[in-house]
């Protein structure tokens, strides 16, 4: 029976699948059957030789509950005494054979990782079958509905993908090569699909390992802060290629048809993490403008007590494939997929990072929770519109600071300098009293910066390549490649808080109405900022910038424009007295 939400979707023809054995990887031709990939085989130039023999089941047909057939590749250890293995599933639309596709070869070369870390069997952002088969695991890489040779029409994020992967997991459990235990792992799309799949509670899904991924399509990718951003979606949807004449869901047109978050379509694309009751080992970072907010939100909302969070200080790809991360992940999988009593439960529930952005980042700081505890105090730093300062004491007199949207500098900032070492760990927010002049709305972009004792703004490139091209890309954009410190944004007409989900530390928005600003009106709004873990040394300063443009990142990836702000006239920031705007920070 068809999923009812399909009736709400808008479909367009999928992009054509080029079946030339190159565009989508050297193993992309449709060739159902079994083969042995021998140790020492080089799948493609520049990739590492296989470390062991692998049994590959290629283009295996798996039927879904509605009769649609998907095709999957399965990689199994060969030449071992064991004949059944726990299985890692990598669910995404990126092509199960695309690990050697030129677009991914070029991407990993551009960021400085190269490709020698991979066997070439690795689905983009997924587990490397060579690594995991060597350690006694099977890896299943599916092409979801409509992708490549799989049947049906392509959908994006939500219950249809969750239902399909449910059916795949239960099919895996019936196979002679399976122990019946499965896990999900991978980064980005391979993470945000996990929130939906695990919430569907497939009986044979044993644990999950989400590594940075959004969890709410409306709030995390389409309308972050209520501001529309179709550009990354356009980049994402290019991956929707079909050899069977499938249609693809067009989320850009859905954005135009359903501009508010209470539409059934967007409700279907919001994961319910409270339904996830299995062990979860989640990985996050503070600086991924696409994934950070969704990952931390998911962590807070999980329905299981068996949950662990590790925060790192690089970008998701170099972290996911690092030796330390792989070994950590194996310990988690060995415990829950193989039943090995290896002491995983003694792992700190949270391991966080304290940046200093000057070569002294502290990694793996243990804690019972992130952003809460007896050692954390949420402190208000009040904005002073006259002195342009931040102070823990609110100015007694009201004042207003104004910046022109189309003028220079087009922003306004407030600063404080620390007399002693001060660290922040948790969830910052900006509580703002604001108005407009010459328009009826305002998109406010907020950026919290660390300045060294000489007044230089600090940041950190998060990928191995620090060369000129990366500098160019990340100076004003490509914010997932360079950590530029906490930030957030909000369209003030979309400021209404969701009382069921908002806490004093973390605002959440309904995005179910538009409340335009009238001339002379002063509105009160909370702007959620990305999590922080940072140390300021004596003599260093914190600056909070309010702007009419997204100065912190622009685009998330090189070559992709940022969101579409709607700003005209002037923004007026009110401070002090009864209109005491403040930046709330979690002091450690």
């Amino acid at each position: 029976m068809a999923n009812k939400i399909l009736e709400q979707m808008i479909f367009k023809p999928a992009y054509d699948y080029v079946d030339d054995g190159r565009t989508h990887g050297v193993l992309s031709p449709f060739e159902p059957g079994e083969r042995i990939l021998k140790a020492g085989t080089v799948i493609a130039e520049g990739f590492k030789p296989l470390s062991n023999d692998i049994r590959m089941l290629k283009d295996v047909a798996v039927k879904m509950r509605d009769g649609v057939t998907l095709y999957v590749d399965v990689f199994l250890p060969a030449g071992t005494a064991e004949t059944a293995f726990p299985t890692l599933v990598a669910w995404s639309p990126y092509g199960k054979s695309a690990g050697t596709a030129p677009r991914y070869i070029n991407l990993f070369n551009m960021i400085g990782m190269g490709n020698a870390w991979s066997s070439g069997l690795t689905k983009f952002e997924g587990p490397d079958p060579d690594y995991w088969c060597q350690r006694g695991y099977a890896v299943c890489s599916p092409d979801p509905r409509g992708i490549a040779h799989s049947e049906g029409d392509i959908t994006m994020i939500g219950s249809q993908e969750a239902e399909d992967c449910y059916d795949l997991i239960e099919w895996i459990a019936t196979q002679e090569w399976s122990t019946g235990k499965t896990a999900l792992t991978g980064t980005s799309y391979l993470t945000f699909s996990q929130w939906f799949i695990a919430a569907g509670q497939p009986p044979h899904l044993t644990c999950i390992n989400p590594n940075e991924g959004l969890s709410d399509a409306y709030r995390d990718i389409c309308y972050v802060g209520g501001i529309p951003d179709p550009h990354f979606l356009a980049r994402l949807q290019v991956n929707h290629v079909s050899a069977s004449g499938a249609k693809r869901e067009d989320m850009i047109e859905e954005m135009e048809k359903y501009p508010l978050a209470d539409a059934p379509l967007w409700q279907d694309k919001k994961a319910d993490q409270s339904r996830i009751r299995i062990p979860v080992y989640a990985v996050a970072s503070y600086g991924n403008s696409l994934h950070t907010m969704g990952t931390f939100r998911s962590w807070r909302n999980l329905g299981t007590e068996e949950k662990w969070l590790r925060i790192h200080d690089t970008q998701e790809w170099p972290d996911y494939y690092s030796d330390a991360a792989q070994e950590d992940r194996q310990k988690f999988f060995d415990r829950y997929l193989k039943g090995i009593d290896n002491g995983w439960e003694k792992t700190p529930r949270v391991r966080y990072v304290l940046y200093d952005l000057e070569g002294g980042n502290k990694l793996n700081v243990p804690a019972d929770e992130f952003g809460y505890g007896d050692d954390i105090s949420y402190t208000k730093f009040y904005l002073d519109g006259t002195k342009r300062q931040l102070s823990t004491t609110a100015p007694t007199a009201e004042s207003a600071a104004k910046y022109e949207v189309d003028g220079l500098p087009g922003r306004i900032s407030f600063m404080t300098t620390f007399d002693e070492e001060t660290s922040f760990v948790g969830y910052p927010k900006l509580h703002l009293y604001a108005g407009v002049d010459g328009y009826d709305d305002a998109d406010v972009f907020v950026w919290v910066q660390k300045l060294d004792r000489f007044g230089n703004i600090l940041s950190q490139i998060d990928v191995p390549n620090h060369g000129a091209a990366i500098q160019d890309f990340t100076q004003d954009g490509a914010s997932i490649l360079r950590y530029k410190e906490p930030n957030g944004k909000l369209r003030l007409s979309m400021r209404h808080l969701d009382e069921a989900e908002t806490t004093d530390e973390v605002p959440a928005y309904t995005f179910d109405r538009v409340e335009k600003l009238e001339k002379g009106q002063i509105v009160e709004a909370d702007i959620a900022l990305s999590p922080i873990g940072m140390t300021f040394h004596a003599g260093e300063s914190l600056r909070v910038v309010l702007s009419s443009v997204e100065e912190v990142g622009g685009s998330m990836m090189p070559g992709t424009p940022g969101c579409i702000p709607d700003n005209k006239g002037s923004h007026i920031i009110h401070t002090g007295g009864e209109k005491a705007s403040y930046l709330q920070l979690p002091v450690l």
Side-chain angles (χ1 to χ4, degrees), residues 420-432:
E420 59 184 9
E421 184 171 297
T422 305
S423 297
F424 303 100
V425 179
Y427 301 102
K429 75 173 183 182
L430 181 67
H431 186 82
L432 193 64

Side-chain angles (χ1 to χ4, degrees), residues 38-84:
K38 301 297 292 184
T41 299
V42 177
I43 300 299
E45 184 180 355
F47 291 83
K48 69 177 181 180
L50 297 185
S51 57
N52 54 289
D53 291 353
I54 294 176
R55 178 185 171 203
M56 180 183 183
L57 312 180
K58 191 173 186 305
D59 295 313
V60 180
V62 182
K63 198 166 288 292
M64 301 291 100
R65 65 188 68 179
D66 63 353
V68 166
T69 296
L70 307 188
Y71 290 96
V72 307
D73 291 343
V74 179
F75 302 90
L76 303 163
T80 65
E82 292 82 9
T83 58

Side-chain angles (χ1 to χ4, degrees), residues 58-359:
K58 191 173 186 305
D59 295 313
V60 180
V62 182
K63 198 166 288 292
M64 301 291 100
R65 65 188 68 179
D66 63 353
V68 166
T69 296
L70 307 188
Y71 290 96
V72 307
D73 291 343
V74 179
F75 302 90
L76 303 163
T80 65
E82 292 82 9
T83 58
F85 310 96
T87 304
L88 309 181
V89 179
W91 186 276
S92 76
Y94 295 139
K96 60 184 176 59
S97 305
T100 56
R103 61 187 180 274
Y104 299 134
I105 291 174
N106 294 338
L107 173 63
F108 286 116
N109 282 333
M110 183 267 290
I111 67 170
M113 286 179 64
N115 294 278
W117 55 269
S118 170
S119 67
L121 302 176
T122 309
K123 188 177 189 178
F124 178 53
E125 301 183 323
D128 186 345
D130 182 60
Y131 182 95
W132 291 102
C133 287
Q134 187 180 12
R135 289 156 176 79
Y137 290 87
V139 174
C140 178
S141 294
D143 275 335
R145 182 174 295 247
I147 298 294
H149 298 279
S150 291
E151 298 174 355
D153 292 329
I154 303 165
T155 64
M156 229 180 130
I157 311 171
S159 63
Q160 182 63 67
E161 285 193 306
E163 288 178 4
D164 288 346
C165 197
Y166 182 114
D167 294 348
L168 174 61
I169 288 167
E170 296 311 299
W171 173 84
I172 289 171
T174 68
Q175 304 305 298
E176 48 84 19
W177 44 261
S178 169
T179 63
K181 292 184 179 294
T182 61
L184 299 165
T185 186
T187 81
S188 191
Y189 202 110
L190 286 83
T191 281
F192 56 77
S193 62
Q194 291 184 50
W195 307 125
F196 294 90
I197 296 162
Q201 301 179 344
H204 289 90
L205 181 59
T206 310
C207 59
I208 63 173
N209 171 228
N211 289 251
E212 301 201 54
L214 61 87
S215 63
D216 182 323
Y218 187 96
R219 292 166 176 82
D220 293 339
I221 189 171
C222 296
Y223 284 94
V224 180
I227 305 170
D229 184 355
H231 297 118
F232 189 76
L233 280 177
R235 181 177 182 137
L236 197 59
Q237 291 180 169
V238 170
N239 295 284
H240 293 170
V241 294
S242 173
S244 62
K247 293 180 291 184
R248 61 175 179 85
E249 182 184 5
D250 191 326
M251 282 180 61
I252 295 174
E253 290 216 2
E254 290 170 350
M255 286 177 63
E256 296 175 4
K257 184 174 181 179
Y258 307 114
L260 298 178
D262 57 354
L265 179 96
W266 301 122
Q267 293 298 307
D268 185 76
K269 297 180 187 297
K270 179 181 180 181
D272 183 359
Q273 296 89 354
S274 69
R275 290 179 48 80
I276 299 176
R277 311 287 168 76
I278 56 177
V280 177
Y281 171 30
V283 179
S285 69
Y286 302 135
N288 191 312
S289 53
L290 179 60
H291 296 147
T292 293
M293 300 298 265
T295 307
F296 279 88
R297 184 191 313 114
S298 297
W299 161 258
R300 295 192 301 270
N301 293 340
L302 284 169
T304 178
E305 293 299 317
E306 294 182 283
K307 63 176 186 175
W308 290 266
L309 175 67
R310 179 176 64 84
I311 302 167
H312 63 86
D313 69 341
T314 61
Q315 197 266 347
E316 62 194 72
W317 304 321
D319 178 80
Y320 184 79
Y321 296 108
S322 70
D323 291 343
Q326 296 274 59
E327 292 166 6
D328 212 38
R329 188 174 300 116
Q330 183 184 348
K331 188 175 181 181
F332 173 70
F333 288 150
D334 282 352
R335 177 67 188 92
Y336 291 106
L337 295 176
K338 293 187 174 182
I340 298 173
D341 187 7
N342 57 13
W344 170 263
E345 291 91 340
K346 297 178 183 178
T347 303
R349 289 306 180 103
V350 173
R351 289 169 284 173
Y352 65 83
V353 173
L354 272 176
Y355 277 94
D356 84 342
L357 298 175
E358 298 173 272

Side-chain angles (χ1 to χ4, degrees), residues 403-426:
Y403 60 92
E404 302 292 333
V405 167
D406 296 323
L408 293 175
R411 71 178 73 93
I412 194 167
S413 65
F414 306 83
M415 290 177 58
T416 187
T417 300
F418 297 97
D419 296 327
E420 59 184 9
E421 184 171 297
T422 305
S423 297
F424 303 100
V425 179

